[in-house]
Amino acid sequence: MNLIDALNWRYATKRMTGAKVPDETIHRILDAARLSASSMGFQPYTILVISNEDVKKKLHPASFNQPQVIESSHLLVFCAWADYGEKEVDEYMANIAKTRNMDVALLDGFKQAVMGAVNGKSPEEKFNWAARQAYIALGTTLAAAALEQVDANGMEGFNPAQVDEALGLKEKNLRSLAYVAIGYRSAEDQLQFAAKVRREKDKLFHFLN
Amino acid sequence: MNLIDALNWRYATKRMTGAKVPDETIHRILDAARLSASSMGFQPYTILVISNEDVKKKLHPASFNQPQVIESSHLLVFCAWADYGEKEVDEYMANIAKTRNMDVALLDGFKQAVMGAVNGKSPEEKFNWAARQAYIALGTTLAAAALEQVDANGMEGFNPAQVDEALGLKEKNLRSLAYVAIGYRSAEDQLQFAAKVRREKDKLFHFLN
């Protein structure tokens, strides 16, 4: 299935069957998320992958009791790093050096560039930057799931403070941003039969030819 | 080509050939962007699609003279709506009613829900929410281009105030967020030969099984 057909097939699935998505399928979707682009390659976010039913139940009341939290196979919680600085930039440089089999000292110029981008931001700007990067990965995840013919629902409908508390995210230097509930659509979910609504092309896009 | 292979093939292309991407390919990439998920389906963003060389030249100095601004085939400028309220929500409701051939009055409950989400936010929160939604579409766009074997570079490296000024975005109620430069990699671009660096899977993901 090509991407356009896959994106037309998908929808924000509110009712799922509870059936489990095979591990190898989940991992292909996660691999796509991992390969997502990120500004300067920094990826200042972490993604919780929850298949534990007790944890999902704990998040349910903090998520306005939406059924897909329980009925999903896997609930992904996209989290921005709450804070970051030289330690995280050094870890990134070490990963580049290891991946490219080079001396980390050769990356000093690039390190200074990333540090400049990080240090030039207020704590709130840092958080918002990290959140935007996470949403690139979220978009990739939804596309990847659709191409696998697996349903996925991007969700902001939860109380972030309650979710952070329930998952102990503060201690992990994380702040919850959005879920992606992954699973299979229930036949009961009427929304699958509704026409997809998107802004018209000549409004969404301005062409400067 | 599957998505994983496509994402491994792509990279942040800094030098492009200047060759034009065929219109039908560009439109498939834009269709994917259009079909991207958005919180509540609202899509509070607009995407400029610039193939005009004079406009690209005007943006070049505001973009730290990065060559891909000029050497791209099409430069996409992802913009958040600077402000939005009941007018924009009503336009959205009208689009739903038209697309689904239903009476707009039946959408009153949903309209109140969207208005609640909009009115509960400060101007800065509104902008950040719109920006995140735009980044979902940005992620989809990069994936779509890769699947078309077209190069694309997501870019935050420009001066937003200068770009907004150069494109008259304030008058259009828009604020620039990020570019996607679309085109074809130049053989000169050494980065295409470098191993892709991404956070290791056991760091990027936390599994709660």
Side-chain angles (χ1 to χ4, degrees):
Chain A
M1 181 174 275
N2 70 41
L3 181 60
I4 300 295
D5 289 342
L7 293 174
N8 274 311
W9 171 83
R10 77 165 297 283
Y11 73 105
T13 311
K14 309 283 186 206
R15 298 300 309 272
M16 294 180 170
T17 62
K20 283 290 165 191
V21 177
D23 260 359
E24 62 187 53
T25 309
I26 287 291
H27 277 275
R28 278 196 301 269
I29 294 168
L30 298 181
D31 286 343
R34 177 175 175 267
L35 290 168
S36 296
S38 178
S39 186
M40 305 184 110
F42 190 43
Q43 297 180 282
Y45 51 83
T46 294
I47 302 168
L48 309 191
V49 183
I50 303 172
S51 54
N52 183 297
E53 301 303 328
D54 291 335
V55 178
K56 290 199 283 176
K57 273 180 200 148
K58 207 159 76 170
L59 297 181
H60 196 224
S63 314
F64 310 117
N65 295 309
Q66 292 186 82
Q68 65 275 48
V69 170
I70 301 290
E71 293 171 353
S72 60
S73 165
H74 291 69
L75 185 72
L76 274 48
V77 184
F78 285 69
C79 304
W81 292 351
D83 192 23
Y84 46 93
E86 188 162 14
K87 174 174 162 281
E88 288 76 14
V89 174
D90 277 338
E91 285 169 2
Y92 175 37
M93 296 303 137
N95 192 22
I96 299 174
K98 185 182 164 194
T99 305
R100 295 186 175 162
N101 194 26
M102 62 192 286
D103 186 341
V104 74
L106 294 172
L107 293 166
D108 199 52
F110 184 53
K111 176 184 166 176
Q112 296 315 320
V114 179
M115 283 303 298
V118 168
N119 285 335
K121 291 178 171 65
S122 71
E124 198 56 24
E125 287 169 336
K126 276 194 200 179
F127 170 68
N128 283 318
W129 190 50
R132 290 181 195 182
Q133 307 311 316
Y135 272 60
I136 298 176
L138 189 148
T140 313
T141 301
L142 294 177
L147 284 164
E148 294 282 350
Q149 296 284 279
V150 169
D151 285 296
N153 182 196
M155 299 171 62
E156 293 178 338
F158 58 84
N159 183 313
Q162 289 177 13
V163 167
D164 291 3
E165 173 71 26
L167 295 171
L169 295 185
K170 194 174 178 184
E171 296 72 24
K172 294 174 180 162
N173 188 34
L174 300 175
R175 286 172 66 180
S176 60
L177 297 166
Y179 296 162
V180 174
I182 294 179
Y184 297 105
R185 65 186 68 177
S186 161
E188 287 173 43
D189 193 346
Q190 295 303 310
L191 202 60
Q192 67 190 290
F193 307 113
K196 186 179 287 293
V197 179
R198 289 294 184 271
R199 289 179 68 207
E200 289 169 36
K201 220 165 162 181
D202 62 351
K203 291 184 179 163
L204 179 58
F205 302 106
H206 293 185
F207 293 90
L208 285 75
N209 297 319
Chain B
M1 182 174 272
N2 70 42
L3 181 60
I4 300 295
D5 289 342
L7 292 174
N8 274 311
W9 170 85
R10 76 167 296 283
Y11 73 106
T13 312
K14 310 282 186 208
R15 297 301 310 270
M16 294 179 171
T17 62
K20 283 289 165 193
V21 177
D23 261 359
E24 60 187 54
T25 308
I26 287 290
H27 278 275
R28 279 196 301 269
I29 295 168
L30 298 182
D31 286 342
R34 177 177 175 265
L35 289 168
S36 297
S38 179
S39 187
M40 305 183 110
F42 190 43
Q43 296 179 283
Y45 52 84
T46 293
I47 302 167
L48 309 192
V49 183
I50 303 172
S51 54
N52 183 296
E53 302 303 328
D54 292 335
V55 179
K56 289 198 284 176
K57 273 179 201 147
K58 208 160 75 170
L59 296 181
H60 196 224
S63 315
F64 309 117
N65 294 309
Q66 292 186 80
Q68 65 275 48
V69 170
I70 301 288
E71 294 172 351
S72 61
S73 166
H74 291 69
L75 185 72
L76 275 47
V77 184
F78 285 69
C79 304
W81 292 351
D83 192 23
Y84 45 93
E86 187 161 15
K87 174 174 162 282
E88 288 76 13
V89 174
D90 277 338
E91 285 169 2
Y92 175 35
M93 296 302 137
N95 193 21
I96 299 174
K98 186 181 163 194
T99 305
R100 295 188 175 160
N101 195 26
M102 62 193 286
D103 186 341
V104 75
L106 294 172
L107 293 166
D108 199 52
F110 184 54
K111 176 184 166 176
Q112 295 317 319
V114 179
M115 284 303 299
V118 168
N119 285 335
K121 291 178 171 63
S122 70
E124 199 56 25
E125 286 170 337
K126 275 193 201 180
F127 170 69
N128 283 318
W129 189 51
R132 292 182 194 180
Q133 307 311 315
Y135 271 60
I136 298 176
L138 189 147
T140 313
T141 301
L142 294 176
L147 285 164
E148 295 283 348
Q149 296 284 280
V150 169
D151 284 297
N153 183 197
M155 299 170 62
E156 293 178 339
F158 57 85
N159 183 313
Q162 289 176 13
V163 167
D164 291 3
E165 173 71 26
L167 295 171
L169 295 186
K170 194 175 178 184
E171 296 72 24
K172 294 175 180 161
N173 188 34
L174 300 176
R175 286 173 66 180
S176 60
L177 296 167
Y179 295 162
V180 173
I182 293 179
Y184 298 105
R185 63 186 68 177
S186 161
E188 287 173 42
D189 193 346
Q190 294 303 310
L191 202 60
Q192 67 191 290
F193 307 113
K196 186 180 286 294
V197 178
R198 289 294 185 270
R199 291 180 66 208
E200 290 170 35
K201 219 165 163 180
D202 62 351
K203 289 184 178 161
L204 179 58
F205 301 106
H206 292 184
F207 292 90
L208 286 75
N209 298 318

